Amino acid sequence: MLLAIDCGNTNTVFSIWDGSEFIATWRTATDWKRTADQYYVWLSTLMKLQGIEADITDVIVSSTVPRVVFNLRVLADRYFNTRPYVVGKPECALPVDVRVDAGTAVGPDRLVNTVAGYDLYGGDLIVVDFGTATTFDVVAADGAYVGGVIAPGVNLSLEALHNAAAALPHIDISQPAQVVGTNTVTCMQSGVFWGYIGLVREICARIKAERGRDMRVISTGGLAPLFQQAEALFDEYQDELTMHGLTVIHKYNKELATQ
Protein backbone atom coordinates (compact mmCIF):
# COMPACT_ATOMS: atom_id res chain seq x y z
CA MET A 1 0.00 0.00 0.00
CA LEU A 2 1.05 3.57 -0.66
CA LEU A 3 1.11 6.42 1.86
CA ALA A 4 0.75 9.66 -0.11
CA ILE A 5 1.64 12.85 1.75
CA ASP A 6 0.82 16.33 0.47
CA CYS A 7 2.41 19.00 2.67
CA GLY A 8 1.14 22.52 2.01
CA ASN A 9 1.91 25.78 3.72
CA THR A 10 -1.15 25.48 5.99
CA ASN A 11 -2.15 21.81 6.14
CA THR A 12 -0.62 18.42 5.48
CA VAL A 13 -2.75 15.60 4.07
CA PHE A 14 -1.99 11.89 4.54
CA SER A 15 -3.84 9.38 2.34
CA ILE A 16 -3.54 5.61 2.06
CA TRP A 17 -3.89 4.19 -1.48
CA ASP A 18 -4.56 0.47 -1.83
CA GLY A 19 -3.90 0.34 -5.57
CA SER A 20 -7.44 1.15 -6.67
CA GLU A 21 -8.77 3.75 -4.25
CA PHE A 22 -7.95 5.88 -1.22
CA ILE A 23 -9.12 3.97 1.83
CA ALA A 24 -8.42 6.78 4.31
CA THR A 25 -7.44 10.44 4.36
CA TRP A 26 -6.41 12.60 7.32
CA ARG A 27 -5.36 16.21 7.65
CA THR A 28 -3.11 17.96 10.16
CA ALA A 29 -1.65 21.44 10.53
CA THR A 30 1.75 21.80 8.87
CA ASP A 31 4.49 22.14 11.47
CA TRP A 32 8.15 21.68 10.56
CA LYS A 33 8.98 20.98 14.21
CA ARG A 34 6.83 17.84 14.33
CA THR A 35 9.08 14.79 14.59
CA ALA A 36 8.82 11.47 12.76
CA ASP A 37 7.78 9.81 16.02
CA GLN A 38 4.97 12.33 16.52
CA TYR A 39 3.76 11.78 12.96
CA TYR A 40 3.67 8.03 13.51
CA VAL A 41 1.84 8.20 16.84
CA TRP A 42 -0.78 10.51 15.29
CA LEU A 43 -1.14 8.40 12.16
CA SER A 44 -1.23 5.00 13.85
CA THR A 45 -3.77 6.23 16.41
CA LEU A 46 -6.13 7.40 13.67
CA MET A 47 -5.71 4.12 11.79
CA LYS A 48 -6.53 2.17 14.94
CA LEU A 49 -9.58 4.32 15.73
CA GLN A 50 -10.98 3.68 12.25
CA GLY A 51 -10.10 -0.01 12.25
CA ILE A 52 -7.73 0.32 9.31
CA GLU A 53 -5.02 -2.30 8.96
CA ALA A 54 -2.75 -1.08 6.19
CA ASP A 55 0.59 -2.67 5.31
CA ILE A 56 2.30 0.45 3.98
CA THR A 57 5.16 -0.49 1.67
CA ASP A 58 5.73 2.78 -0.20
CA VAL A 59 5.67 6.49 0.59
CA ILE A 60 5.57 9.51 -1.71
CA VAL A 61 5.82 13.11 -0.54
CA SER A 62 5.02 16.46 -2.10
CA SER A 63 6.00 19.38 0.12
CA THR A 64 5.99 23.13 -0.38
CA VAL A 65 7.70 23.44 3.02
CA PRO A 66 11.29 22.15 2.63
CA ARG A 67 11.96 21.94 6.38
CA VAL A 68 9.22 19.32 6.79
CA VAL A 69 10.74 16.85 4.33
CA PHE A 70 13.50 15.56 6.61
CA ASN A 71 11.13 14.27 9.30
CA LEU A 72 8.82 12.75 6.68
CA ARG A 73 11.82 10.90 5.24
CA VAL A 74 12.64 9.62 8.72
CA LEU A 75 9.00 8.55 9.19
CA ALA A 76 9.12 6.48 6.00
CA ASP A 77 12.49 4.93 6.82
CA ARG A 78 11.97 4.23 10.53
CA TYR A 79 8.38 3.04 10.58
CA PHE A 80 7.69 1.75 7.05
CA ASN A 81 11.18 0.60 6.10
CA THR A 82 11.11 2.39 2.76
CA ARG A 83 12.86 5.28 1.06
CA PRO A 84 10.19 7.78 0.04
CA TYR A 85 9.86 9.40 -3.35
CA VAL A 86 10.01 13.18 -2.88
CA VAL A 87 8.55 15.19 -5.76
CA GLY A 88 11.02 17.75 -7.04
CA LYS A 89 14.08 15.75 -6.05
CA PRO A 90 16.31 14.22 -8.77
CA GLU A 91 15.49 10.65 -7.72
CA CYS A 92 11.75 11.24 -8.33
CA ALA A 93 11.08 11.29 -12.07
CA LEU A 94 8.04 12.97 -13.61
CA PRO A 95 5.98 11.58 -16.50
CA VAL A 96 5.74 15.11 -18.00
CA ASP A 97 8.27 17.75 -19.05
CA VAL A 98 8.83 21.00 -17.18
CA ARG A 99 9.46 23.85 -19.62
CA VAL A 100 10.27 27.01 -17.64
CA ASP A 101 13.23 29.40 -17.37
CA ALA A 102 16.53 27.72 -16.54
CA GLY A 103 17.18 27.62 -12.81
CA THR A 104 13.53 28.10 -11.87
CA ALA A 105 12.31 25.92 -9.00
CA VAL A 106 8.67 24.97 -9.58
CA GLY A 107 6.59 24.14 -6.51
CA PRO A 108 6.09 20.37 -6.13
CA ASP A 109 2.36 20.82 -5.68
CA ARG A 110 2.13 22.51 -9.06
CA LEU A 111 4.02 19.69 -10.75
CA VAL A 112 1.77 17.10 -9.10
CA ASN A 113 -1.37 18.97 -10.19
CA THR A 114 -0.02 19.11 -13.74
CA VAL A 115 0.57 15.35 -13.78
CA ALA A 116 -2.88 14.67 -12.34
CA GLY A 117 -4.66 17.05 -14.69
CA TYR A 118 -3.00 15.58 -17.75
CA ASP A 119 -3.70 12.02 -16.64
CA LEU A 120 -7.40 12.74 -16.02
CA TYR A 121 -8.24 15.26 -18.73
CA GLY A 122 -5.45 15.40 -21.31
CA GLY A 123 -3.53 18.51 -22.32
CA ASP A 124 -4.34 22.18 -22.90
CA LEU A 125 -5.43 22.78 -19.32
CA ILE A 126 -5.46 25.55 -16.75
CA VAL A 127 -5.41 24.09 -13.25
CA VAL A 128 -6.65 26.52 -10.59
CA ASP A 129 -5.75 25.54 -7.03
CA PHE A 130 -7.34 27.44 -4.13
CA GLY A 131 -4.73 26.97 -1.41
CA THR A 132 -2.72 29.32 0.77
CA ALA A 133 -1.95 30.94 -2.58
CA THR A 134 -4.32 30.78 -5.54
CA THR A 135 -2.26 29.25 -8.34
CA PHE A 136 -2.91 28.85 -12.04
CA ASP A 137 -0.88 26.10 -13.71
CA VAL A 138 -0.73 25.89 -17.50
CA VAL A 139 -0.52 22.41 -19.02
CA ALA A 140 0.52 22.15 -22.68
CA ALA A 141 -1.04 19.80 -25.21
CA ASP A 142 1.64 17.17 -24.52
CA GLY A 143 1.21 17.43 -20.74
CA ALA A 144 4.23 19.63 -20.05
CA TYR A 145 4.15 22.24 -17.32
CA VAL A 146 4.84 25.53 -19.10
CA GLY A 147 4.32 28.13 -16.38
CA GLY A 148 1.51 29.80 -14.55
CA VAL A 149 0.31 32.53 -12.23
CA ILE A 150 0.47 32.97 -8.45
CA ALA A 151 -2.02 35.20 -6.63
CA PRO A 152 -2.70 35.64 -2.90
CA GLY A 153 -4.99 32.99 -1.49
CA VAL A 154 -8.56 33.86 -0.53
CA ASN A 155 -8.08 33.35 3.20
CA LEU A 156 -4.70 35.08 3.04
CA SER A 157 -6.39 38.15 1.55
CA LEU A 158 -9.03 38.14 4.27
CA GLU A 159 -6.34 37.81 6.94
CA ALA A 160 -4.39 40.70 5.42
CA LEU A 161 -7.47 42.94 5.53
CA HIS A 162 -8.10 42.05 9.15
CA ASN A 163 -4.46 42.51 10.22
CA ALA A 164 -3.78 45.73 8.32
CA ALA A 165 -6.96 47.60 9.19
CA ALA A 166 -7.83 47.77 12.89
CA ALA A 167 -11.52 48.43 12.25
CA LEU A 168 -12.03 45.43 9.95
CA PRO A 169 -13.08 42.17 11.65
CA HIS A 170 -12.02 38.63 10.86
CA ILE A 171 -14.69 37.05 8.64
CA ASP A 172 -15.37 33.81 6.77
CA ILE A 173 -15.69 33.87 3.01
CA SER A 174 -19.18 33.34 1.59
CA GLN A 175 -21.28 34.61 -1.29
CA PRO A 176 -23.07 37.81 -0.23
CA ALA A 177 -26.74 38.28 -1.08
CA GLN A 178 -25.90 41.36 -3.17
CA VAL A 179 -22.81 43.08 -4.52
CA VAL A 180 -23.26 46.33 -2.57
CA GLY A 181 -22.71 45.60 1.11
CA THR A 182 -24.73 47.42 3.77
CA ASN A 183 -22.40 46.64 6.69
CA THR A 184 -18.71 46.04 7.19
CA VAL A 185 -18.91 42.23 7.00
CA THR A 186 -20.94 42.10 3.76
CA CYS A 187 -18.75 44.80 2.22
CA MET A 188 -15.67 42.68 2.91
CA GLN A 189 -17.35 39.50 1.73
CA SER A 190 -18.42 41.15 -1.50
CA GLY A 191 -14.98 42.57 -2.19
CA VAL A 192 -13.21 39.27 -1.68
CA PHE A 193 -15.85 37.00 -3.25
CA TRP A 194 -16.58 39.01 -6.40
CA GLY A 195 -12.97 40.15 -6.57
CA TYR A 196 -11.81 36.55 -6.88
CA ILE A 197 -14.55 35.74 -9.37
CA GLY A 198 -13.15 38.52 -11.54
CA LEU A 199 -9.55 37.50 -10.88
CA VAL A 200 -10.11 33.88 -11.96
CA ARG A 201 -12.15 34.80 -15.02
CA GLU A 202 -9.72 37.47 -16.24
CA ILE A 203 -6.54 35.47 -15.68
CA CYS A 204 -7.97 32.40 -17.41
CA ALA A 205 -9.16 34.51 -20.34
CA ARG A 206 -5.74 36.11 -20.74
CA ILE A 207 -3.96 32.75 -20.55
CA LYS A 208 -6.19 31.37 -23.30
CA ALA A 209 -5.64 34.46 -25.43
CA GLU A 210 -1.87 34.30 -24.95
CA ARG A 211 -1.76 30.59 -25.77
CA GLY A 212 -4.04 31.14 -28.77
CA ARG A 213 -6.31 28.18 -28.08
CA ASP A 214 -9.28 27.04 -26.07
CA MET A 215 -8.32 25.38 -22.79
CA ARG A 216 -10.22 23.44 -20.16
CA VAL A 217 -10.17 24.96 -16.69
CA ILE A 218 -9.86 22.47 -13.82
CA SER A 219 -10.24 23.56 -10.21
CA THR A 220 -9.18 22.03 -6.93
CA GLY A 221 -9.08 23.18 -3.32
CA GLY A 222 -11.81 23.58 -0.75
CA LEU A 223 -13.14 26.96 -1.90
CA ALA A 224 -13.50 26.08 -5.59
CA PRO A 225 -17.13 24.84 -5.30
CA LEU A 226 -18.14 28.10 -3.60
CA PHE A 227 -16.95 30.18 -6.55
CA GLN A 228 -18.36 27.75 -9.11
CA GLN A 229 -21.84 28.12 -7.61
CA ALA A 230 -21.90 31.80 -8.52
CA GLU A 231 -20.32 31.71 -11.96
CA ALA A 232 -19.45 28.97 -14.47
CA LEU A 233 -15.72 29.45 -14.01
CA PHE A 234 -14.51 25.86 -14.27
CA ASP A 235 -15.09 22.95 -16.61
CA GLU A 236 -14.31 20.39 -13.91
CA TYR A 237 -13.79 20.29 -10.15
CA GLN A 238 -11.50 17.62 -8.71
CA ASP A 239 -11.18 17.51 -4.94
CA GLU A 240 -8.45 14.83 -4.88
CA LEU A 241 -6.40 16.17 -7.79
CA THR A 242 -3.10 16.39 -5.90
CA MET A 243 -3.47 12.98 -4.31
CA HIS A 244 -4.29 11.43 -7.68
CA GLY A 245 -1.16 13.02 -9.11
CA LEU A 246 0.96 11.48 -6.37
CA THR A 247 -0.33 7.99 -7.22
CA VAL A 248 0.46 8.55 -10.92
CA ILE A 249 4.01 9.74 -10.15
CA HIS A 250 4.57 6.83 -7.78
CA LYS A 251 3.42 4.30 -10.39
CA TYR A 252 5.63 5.92 -13.03
CA ASN A 253 8.72 5.68 -10.82
CA LYS A 254 8.01 2.08 -9.82
CA GLU A 255 7.72 1.14 -13.50
CA LEU A 256 11.02 2.89 -14.26
CA ALA A 257 12.69 0.97 -11.45
CA THR A 258 11.70 -2.37 -12.99
CA GLN A 259 13.00 -1.56 -16.47
Side-chain angles (χ1 to χ4, degrees):
M1 288 188 179
L2 171 68
L3 176 62
I5 305 173
D6 173 33
C7 177
N9 290 297
T10 304
N11 293 312
T12 300
V13 179
F14 290 72
S15 289
I16 298 176
W17 174 257
D18 69 357
S20 60
E21 64 179 351
F22 289 109
I23 62 173
T25 296
W26 301 285
R27 185 181 301 266
T28 185
T30 298
D31 181 1
W32 66 268
K33 293 178 289 186
R34 185 174 288 128
T35 67
D37 300 331
Q38 289 174 313
Y39 277 122
Y40 183 73
V41 169
W42 172 80
L43 188 62
S44 60
T45 300
L46 288 172
M47 291 171 64
K48 184 177 180 180
L49 285 172
Q50 295 187 20
I52 295 172
E53 296 182 5
D55 182 17
I56 296 171
T57 58
D58 295 87
V59 178
I60 186 167
V61 177
S62 169
S63 177
T64 59
V65 185
R67 299 176 77 177
V68 171
V69 173
F70 174 78
N71 283 322
L72 292 177
R73 283 186 184 273
V74 175
L75 169 71
D77 177 66
R78 180 178 298 167
Y79 292 103
F80 305 119
N81 194 31
T82 185
R83 181 179 177 86
Y85 291 107
V86 180
V87 179
K89 299 298 183 181
E91 65 271 17
C92 184
L94 296 176
V96 300
D97 290 333
V98 180
R99 295 198 289 267
V100 295
D101 294 343
T104 300
V106 180
D109 55 330
R110 308 182 75 180
L111 298 176
V112 175
N113 284 349
T114 295
V115 170
Y118 184 63
D119 183 70
L120 291 171
Y121 306 107
D124 284 329
L125 300 178
I126 302 171
V127 180
V128 184
D129 188 350
F130 290 87
T132 303
T134 300
T135 58
F136 299 74
D137 299 319
V138 181
V139 184
D142 63 352
Y145 175 84
V146 294
V149 177
I150 302 175
V154 177
N155 288 321
L156 193 62
S157 295
L158 283 171
E159 198 66 30
L161 275 175
H162 171 64
N163 290 335
L168 297 181
H170 178 79
I171 65 168
D172 293 323
I173 182 64
S174 64
Q175 181 179 352
Q178 56 193 33
V179 175
V180 179
T182 54
N183 57 63
T184 302
V185 170
T186 57
C187 285
M188 292 173 66
Q189 287 175 335
S190 186
V192 173
F193 182 84
W194 293 111
Y196 271 85
I197 291 285
L199 180 144
V200 172
R201 182 189 292 112
E202 182 68 13
I203 288 179
C204 288
R206 287 183 176 273
I207 290 173
K208 293 176 183 179
E210 189 168 280
R211 299 286 295 172
R213 64 188 68 191
D214 190 31
M215 305 178 75
R216 297 180 75 184
V217 181
I218 313 301
S219 68
T220 189
L223 289 177
L226 172 65
F227 291 102
Q228 181 71 357
Q229 290 172 10
E231 300 283 330
L233 296 174
F234 315 115
D235 297 300
E236 299 283 349
Y237 167 69
Q238 179 57 252
D239 182 44
E240 295 185 339
L241 188 70
T242 303
M243 285 301 172
H244 177 76
L246 287 174
T247 67
V248 174
I249 295 172
H250 172 261
K251 180 180 178 181
Y252 180 73
N253 279 271
K254 295 294 281 188
E255 291 173 347
L256 285 179
T258 60
Q259 293 179 2

